[in-house]
């Protein structure tokens, strides 16, 4: 999709702003706390939900007497079609309303499918350098993005895991029946756990390949990125999403092997909830060895891979929002991001105008105190 224009009224520190966007690259530069992320958020609101999860009423400007926030976004589904569509968001004190060409958004989604955007925010760096749970969440998010039943599988697994852990809490290590009692829970967990792992691994190669390609482009081919799904159950044994039976057998064996430890620790020590993803740059684990710029480049490569997956797996072409993406990147990497992301309309924010000195084709705004001035490129 291509966002043609956007009008924002009474949204956080943006009293009133109107934009005609470039179909390729749009950059917003300005000092801290001027309204760059607020604008990115305003765009996300038009897609159904703010990425900041605000409380009711938080979007209205502080202390303002205005009673209504409104955002209107005009877009085409692709670069060729002439037909413009409109999404209009309005929020009064306690009520919010989102309409697509005048139809309630939920009904419109049934007609047109969900509109999608891909977002990089600095918190995404934790996908690479944070706890394993951040990476699991990310892989689950990507899996669910392509296959909407993934979250349901995950929900069922987590429910069964919680139930088994509750039983472990109340079980004694000396209980002679422990093994028998745990067996049926293990069967359920192994089945649901393999389901979750298969859901994750199914699109993992696709994500890995696309992320490696983008990483190549970002750094000019000097370093190689690779991803590896690390399973607490399967260890070094290779598996694909088709190996359900084999995985189930190994899963059961592993649960039986670890039952003493489980009884002592009082929780399930192996399974889909303990899996992780490793990122390697030139075969070195990124979590331990990558520089700030490399970590940022990996996170951006993942986000662009996400956009490519949406495009390849559905008819949707998402827009890409990269908030505060350029800091810590060298000139070459910045040059790629501002000039060479193809196939997607991109929105980029930066604190430093100098970071965009090589910008060659698109529109750039200076942001100050919630106002946006278009600069000649
Ligand atoms: P940075 O470069 O530090 O990320 P930014 O330009 O992205 O800065 P924003 O996150 O867009 O900054 O925030 C701009 C300002 O808007 C902040 O000072 C913030 O406190 C303010 N702000 C947030 N919510 C509201 C609101 N409801 N009303 C008025 N101002 C708000
Ligand atoms: Mg910001």
């Amino acid at each position: 999709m291509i966002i043609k224009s956007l009008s924002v009224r009474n949204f956080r520190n943006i009293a009133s702003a109107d934009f005609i966007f470039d179909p390729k690259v749009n950059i917003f530069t300005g000092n801290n706390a001027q309204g760059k992320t607020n604008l990115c958020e305003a765009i996300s609101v038009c897609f159904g939900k703010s990425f900041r999860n605000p409380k009711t009423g938080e979007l209205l400007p502080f202390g303002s007497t205005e009673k209504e926030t409104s955002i209107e976004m005009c877009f085409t589904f692709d670069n060729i079609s002439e037909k413009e569509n409109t999404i209009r968001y309005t929020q009064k004190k306690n009520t919010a309303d989102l309409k697509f060409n005048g139809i309630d958004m939920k009904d419109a989604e049934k007609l047109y499918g969900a509109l999608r955007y891909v977002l990089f925010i600095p918190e995404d760096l934790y996908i690479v350098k944070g706890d394993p749970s951040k990476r699991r969440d990310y892989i689950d998010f990507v899996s669910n993005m392509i296959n909407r039943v993934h979250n349901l599988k995950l929900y069922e697994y987590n429910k069964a895991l919680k139930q088994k852990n509750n039983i472990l809490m109340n079980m004694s290590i000396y209980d002679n029946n422990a093994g028998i009692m745990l067996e049926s829970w293990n069967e359920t967990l192994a089945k649901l756990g393999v389901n979750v792992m298969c859901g994750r691994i199914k699109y993992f190669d696709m994500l890995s390949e696309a992320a490696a390609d983008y990483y190549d482009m970002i750094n000019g081919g000097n370093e190689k990125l690779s991803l590896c799904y690390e399973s607490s159950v399967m260890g070094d044994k290779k598996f694909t999403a088709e190996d359900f039976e084999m995985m189930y057998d190994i899963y059961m064996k592993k649960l039986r092997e670890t039952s003493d430890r489980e009884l002592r620790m009082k929780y399930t020590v192996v399974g889909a909830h303990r899996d992780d993803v490793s990122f390697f740059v030139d075969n070195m684990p990124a979590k331990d060895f990558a520089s700030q710029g490399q970590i940022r480049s990996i996170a951006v490569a993942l986000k662009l891979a996400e956009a490519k997956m949406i495009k390849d797996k559905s008819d949707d072409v998402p827009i890409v929002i990269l908030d505060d993406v350029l800091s810590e990147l060298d000139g070459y990497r910045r040059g790629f991001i501002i000039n060479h992301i193809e196939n997607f309309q991109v929105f980029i924010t930066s604190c430093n105008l100098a970071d965009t000195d090589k910008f060659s084709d698109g529109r750039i705004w200076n942001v100050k105190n919630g106002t946006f001035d278009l600069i000649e490129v």
Side-chain angles (χ1 to χ4, degrees), residues 124-368:
D124 289 325
L125 300 176
Y126 288 99
I127 298 172
V128 185
K129 66 180 182 186
D131 295 340
S133 65
K134 294 269 185 271
R135 285 180 287 283
R136 275 195 301 275
D137 287 351
Y138 181 67
I139 293 303
D140 286 326
F141 165 79
V142 171
S143 307
N144 194 63
M145 181 181 83
I146 304 292
N147 184 357
R148 297 279 165 182
V149 295
H150 184 76
N151 276 357
L152 195 66
K153 292 178 184 177
L154 196 63
Y155 169 80
E156 286 180 351
Y157 175 77
N158 284 331
K159 200 168 93 183
L161 179 69
K162 203 169 159 202
Q163 286 167 331
K164 180 183 159 188
N165 285 346
N166 278 342
I167 288 167
L168 284 169
M169 276 306 273
N170 299 314
M171 220 173 219
S172 157
I173 190 162
Y174 303 109
D175 190 335
N176 289 337
N177 291 326
I180 300 162
M181 279 183 68
L182 288 178
E183 186 72 3
S184 73
W185 278 107
N186 286 348
E187 282 167 10
T188 307
L189 262 192
K191 203 167 126 235
L192 296 173
V194 170
N195 242 331
V196 169
M197 284 162 64
C198 288
R200 287 174 182 163
I201 204 77
K202 190 158 183 198
Y203 302 105
F204 188 76
D205 286 349
M206 201 179 186
L207 178 74
S208 311
E209 266 170 45
D213 287 349
Y214 277 117
Y215 192 82
D216 241 32
M217 292 184 235
I218 293 171
N219 81 83
N222 294 322
E223 302 160 0
K224 296 281 165 221
L225 172 71
S226 55
L227 276 64
C228 179
Y229 186 91
E230 313 272 5
S231 165
S232 60
V233 173
M234 303 299 289
D236 290 337
K237 184 133 181 82
K238 294 261 170 292
F239 61 97
T240 70
E242 274 72 53
D243 296 325
F244 197 97
E245 304 285 321
M246 180 265 279
M247 287 165 76
Y248 177 83
D249 291 343
I250 296 178
Y251 211 120
M252 281 303 289
K253 188 164 166 262
K254 196 84 185 176
L255 286 173
R256 285 182 195 123
E257 275 171 16
T258 52
S259 71
D260 280 356
R261 239 172 85 213
E262 282 183 342
L263 283 164
R264 262 185 283 119
M265 312 281 282
K266 299 197 173 292
Y267 63 83
T268 310
V269 292
V270 290
H273 63 292
R274 303 286 286 209
D275 291 359
D276 195 357
V277 172
S278 294
F279 299 97
F280 297 92
V281 175
D282 288 342
N283 298 320
M284 296 294 280
K287 194 170 179 297
D288 306 320
F289 294 103
S291 71
Q292 305 278 62
Q294 286 173 318
I295 287 173
R296 193 168 280 258
S297 305
I298 296 171
V300 175
L302 282 173
K303 295 292 159 168
L304 296 175
E306 229 183 82
K308 183 176 186 303
M309 286 173 77
I310 296 175
K311 182 170 171 288
D312 290 353
K313 280 276 160 192
S314 63
D315 288 335
D316 309 331
V317 181
I319 62 145
V320 174
I321 301 173
L322 305 172
D323 186 26
D324 204 357
V325 71
L326 301 175
S327 48
E328 295 170 337
L329 295 182
D330 61 36
Y332 187 92
R333 292 174 199 236
R334 288 199 305 269
F336 170 79
I337 288 174
I338 60 179
N339 291 322
H340 299 293
I341 296 177
E342 288 180 356
N343 300 320
F344 308 107
Q345 188 185 27
V346 196
F347 297 83
I348 298 169
T349 74
S350 167
C351 286
N352 199 345
L353 185 61
D355 283 351
T356 60
D357 57 348
K358 295 197 184 80
F359 187 46
S360 59
D361 188 13
R363 299 193 133 197
I364 181 161
W365 283 262
N366 187 31
V367 190
K368 201 168 174 198

Side-chain angles (χ1 to χ4, degrees), residues 114-127:
L115 297 169
R116 295 200 265 187
Y117 71 100
V118 168
L119 170 74
F120 167 90
I121 47 174
E123 286 87 329
D124 289 325
L125 300 176
Y126 288 99
I127 298 172

